[in-house]
Amino acid sequence: MDKAAYKLISDILIALNNKRIVGVIFFDLETAFDCVNHDILLAKMEYYGVRGVMHTVIKSHLEYRYQGVKFNNKLSKWNIINIGIPQGSVLGPLLFLIYIKDVQSVTPCALSNINSSIILFADDTSVIISDPCFMNFERNFNILFKTIKKWLNSNLLSLNFDKLIICNL
């Protein structure tokens, strides 16, 4: 978290020191770890070079997991979990970062004229945008937000709008 917080503060201060209008979007992904699509994750891992035995191990870690609920000493039927990343391990946040890493490459490619940076820390994502002109800032801010929202939708993730924070500094 220290590195992500440092980058966030540093990018904001650099933009402010350069007399730019700065905005930050703090995204909270709704049940992020629970919504990870295994096929998409495994395809992304292969794209990043995770193949062979390691790919097979990760795949077996994700697939054919069962879950049941015990309440009042009664156990529900066991069901296969076919989406999501197991939480509470070191591997969970790493797999999630692999799943969302390409949001960093998608947005700058589509928006090369927009001065922005994306900071990822597990399921907390922050986007900083800056521009010296308020009209450009506002237009670019909206374009960037829509582009990221489209990427989230295509990766079967959704925003928790109750926890979405947009700041204009």
Side-chain angles (χ1 to χ4, degrees):
M1 177 68 166
D2 293 336
K3 187 175 180 181
Y6 174 80
K7 175 146 179 55
L8 177 72
I9 293 168
S10 176
D11 286 0
I12 291 170
L13 290 175
I14 288 168
L16 289 172
N17 284 337
N18 289 323
K19 308 280 191 252
R20 300 175 72 88
I21 298 162
V22 181
V24 183
I25 306 171
F26 297 96
F27 290 99
D28 184 74
L29 301 176
E30 199 161 40
T31 60
F33 281 59
D34 297 332
C35 295
V36 170
N37 180 287
H38 294 166
D39 293 333
I40 294 172
L41 173 62
L42 292 167
K44 289 181 182 196
M45 290 178 64
E46 198 165 323
Y47 173 81
Y48 290 124
V50 179
R51 297 182 182 93
V53 173
M54 186 50 113
H55 193 269
T56 304
V57 168
I58 300 284
K59 184 176 180 178
S60 71
H61 176 69
L62 295 172
E63 294 183 336
Y64 306 110
R65 298 179 74 84
Y66 286 85
Q67 177 176 302
V69 176
K70 187 174 183 178
F71 182 71
N72 285 340
N73 273 345
K74 293 183 182 178
L75 186 60
S76 72
K77 179 182 166 189
W78 288 94
N79 292 306
I80 291 180
I81 306 300
N82 52 16
I83 62 168
I85 296 173
Q87 296 181 42
S89 70
V90 174
L91 195 55
L94 176 63
L95 292 175
F96 188 77
L97 283 174
I98 291 169
Y99 193 76
I100 65 169
K101 180 175 178 23
D102 60 326
V103 73
Q104 292 177 310
S105 61
V106 169
T107 50
C109 290
L111 310 167
S112 59
N113 63 332
I114 296 177
N115 187 358
S116 65
S117 62
I118 298 176
I119 300 163
L120 304 175
F121 182 76
D123 61 338
D124 294 321
T125 303
S126 304
V127 179
I128 302 165
I129 182 169
S130 67
D131 200 286
C133 171
F134 183 76
M135 289 181 66
N136 288 341
F137 169 82
E138 187 174 39
R139 178 180 48 86
N140 292 342
F141 192 91
N142 289 325
I143 291 169
L144 184 62
F145 184 82
K146 287 176 186 174
T147 302
I148 291 172
K149 179 112 174 59
K150 183 178 176 183
W151 181 92
L152 291 168
N153 290 339
S154 69
N155 284 274
L156 306 178
L157 297 170
S158 59
L159 290 174
N160 181 347
F161 283 99
D162 291 336
K163 293 184 178 179
L164 178 69
I165 301 171
I166 300 174
C167 302
N168 186 3
L169 306 173

